[in-house]
Amino acid sequence: MKALRFDQLGSLDALALAEVPRPEAVSGEVVVRIHAAGVNPSDFKNVLGKFPYTTVPRTPGRDFAGVVVDGPAGLIGQEVWGSGRELGFVRDGSHAEYLALPAAGAARKPTTLSFAEAAASGVPYLTAWEAVERIGVDADTSLVLIGMGAVGTAAYLLATARGADVVVGVRRSVHADELRARGIEAIVLDDTEKFAAQVRDRFPDGAQAVFDTTGFWLPAAITALGTGGHIAVIAAPADGHERVPVLDLYRRGGTLVGVNSARHDTIASAASLNSLGELFESGALPVPTGIVARPLDAAVETYRELAAGANDKFVFTNLSD
C-alpha cells in the first residue's frame, strides 16, 4: 500500500511517500481501508521531533474515517472513524491507504457525516469535548472562548448546543466583525489589562468558565474569572512557561484545567467519539465546513504548508480508491 513515512525526527525533509506492506489484523484488531484522514498541527510537529516518545520509522496521522476490511466478522464493512495517542507516534497512523488498530478503537461513523467530515473532526472535537466536559459547561454557564480556530470552533458549537452563554474573544477587529455577521457575540482582545473589564461588561460577576485555545491569555483570564470558575488551556507560550496571579486564582476558588487530547488512546477516544456521533446524528452539532481536501500524493507539500502557518483544515481523501 501507499503510505507517508518518516525514518528520522527533526526535519520535514524526512517525509516521503513509500510502498509498504499492507497491515494485517491480529487478535483484537481491525484493519480499516482509509477513505479520509485528517491532518493536525501535531502531525507535522511529530515529524519535527516535538514528541519525545515517537518511534521511527513511522507513518504519521491521528484522525481517520473509513471501512473495516479485516478483523472480527461482525465489524467487516462497518463505516468507522477514530483517533488516538498511539497513531503516528508509537504505531503507524492514518496517512496511508490502510490502518490497523484495536477493534474497540474504531467508533461507528455518524451517518450524517461524510468520510472527509468525520476525519476532519477527530482531534479538534475530541479536544473541545474534553474541555467543555472538564470545566462543566452547561445551560447555566457563562463562557468566554478565546480563539476560533478548529478547536475553538468545535468548542463554541458544543457549548452552544448545551445552552451556554458564550462570548468569543479574538485579536483582530475584522475577525470579530465576521463572527458578529454570523450571529456570534465577539469581543476584540487587544490589551490584557483591559480583558477583565471587557468580560465583566458582559458578565458582571465574571465568567464562570474561560477556554483559552491560544496559550497567551491565562493571567488575564484568571482576573476575569467569577467565584468558583474554571479555566481550560490547551496551549502555552513558546518556552512553555507563564507567570500567573496565583493569589487571584485561589481567592476566587478557581480551577485551572490542562487539556491534552494526546493523553487518550484509540479506545478512550472512541468512547468520546461515540458521544459526539450522537450529537452529529441528532443535529445538535452541524456538519463541519471549511474542509480542504488533498490527495495523499500532496502530503509532503501539505505538511510544509501547515508548518509555515497555514490555518486550513486539510484532509487527505480517497486514499485507497
Side-chain angles (χ1 to χ4, degrees):
M1 69 172 184
K2 184 186 297 183
L4 186 64
R5 300 287 287 175
F6 61 103
D7 58 5
Q8 58 184 348
L9 302 170
S11 172
L12 296 183
D13 291 340
L15 279 173
L17 287 177
E19 291 290 331
V20 300
R22 172 180 155 176
E24 297 182 358
V26 300
S27 178
E29 291 191 350
V30 292
V31 172
V32 176
R33 180 184 179 188
I34 303 298
H35 286 258
V39 192
N40 298 287
S42 59
D43 296 324
F44 80 77
K45 293 177 182 178
N46 184 26
V47 181
L48 293 178
K50 303 300 183 181
F51 297 87
Y53 46 84
T54 299
T55 56
V56 292
R58 185 65 57 218
T59 293
R62 292 168 66 183
D63 297 344
F64 70 89
V67 176
V68 176
V69 295
D70 193 9
L75 297 179
I76 302 296
Q78 185 172 118
E79 295 184 352
V80 297
W81 62 333
S83 184
R85 71 183 180 204
E86 318 99 300
L87 302 182
F89 298 91
V90 297
R91 68 180 295 160
D92 287 336
S94 62
H95 296 169
E97 293 180 321
Y98 294 86
L99 169 69
L101 76 156
R108 184 181 66 83
K109 182 182 74 65
T111 57
T112 51
L113 298 186
S114 68
F115 287 113
E117 291 160 351
S121 302
V123 167
Y125 275 86
L126 286 169
T127 304
W129 174 262
E130 180 179 353
V132 299
E133 283 279 291
R134 292 181 63 196
I135 62 178
V137 174
D138 58 24
D140 297 320
T141 301
S142 55
L143 169 66
V144 177
L145 174 61
I146 303 174
M148 275 289 273
V151 174
T153 298
Y156 176 82
L157 294 172
L158 283 167
T160 53
R162 296 181 177 204
D165 189 358
V166 185
V167 173
V168 177
V170 292
R171 292 298 301 270
R172 300 172 58 197
S173 58
V174 64
H175 193 185
D177 290 340
E178 291 170 354
L179 292 174
R180 292 171 188 141
R182 293 162 48 193
I184 299 173
E185 188 172 356
I187 57 176
V188 179
L189 306 179
D190 56 7
D191 187 340
T192 56
E193 298 297 324
K194 299 177 181 178
F195 180 68
Q198 287 179 289
V199 171
R200 292 179 188 277
D201 281 344
R202 180 61 174 78
F203 303 126
D205 295 328
Q208 294 168 322
V210 179
F211 183 14
D212 180 10
T213 70
T214 70
F216 296 105
W217 290 84
L218 175 57
I222 291 173
T223 65
L225 201 64
T227 301
H230 296 73
I231 301 173
V233 294
I234 62 169
D239 66 358
H241 297 276
E242 184 64 273
R243 188 175 180 85
V244 299
V246 176
L247 182 64
D248 282 345
L249 180 66
Y250 78 69
R251 281 183 172 174
R252 287 176 166 81
T255 300
L256 179 60
V257 175
V259 176
N260 176 18
S261 63
R263 293 189 307 119
H264 307 297
D265 63 15
T266 53
I267 296 173
S269 297
S272 296
L273 288 173
N274 284 330
S275 297
L276 286 164
E278 293 176 0
L279 294 174
F280 280 116
E281 290 190 326
S282 71
L285 288 178
V287 172
T289 60
I291 298 168
V292 179
R294 291 278 179 87
L296 189 60
D297 288 344
V300 175
E301 173 190 348
T302 301
Y303 269 64
R304 292 190 182 280
E305 289 181 37
L306 279 175
N311 292 317
D312 298 285
K313 183 54 189 178
F314 294 112
V315 174
F316 300 137
T317 58
N318 302 320
L319 280 77
S320 55
D321 292 347

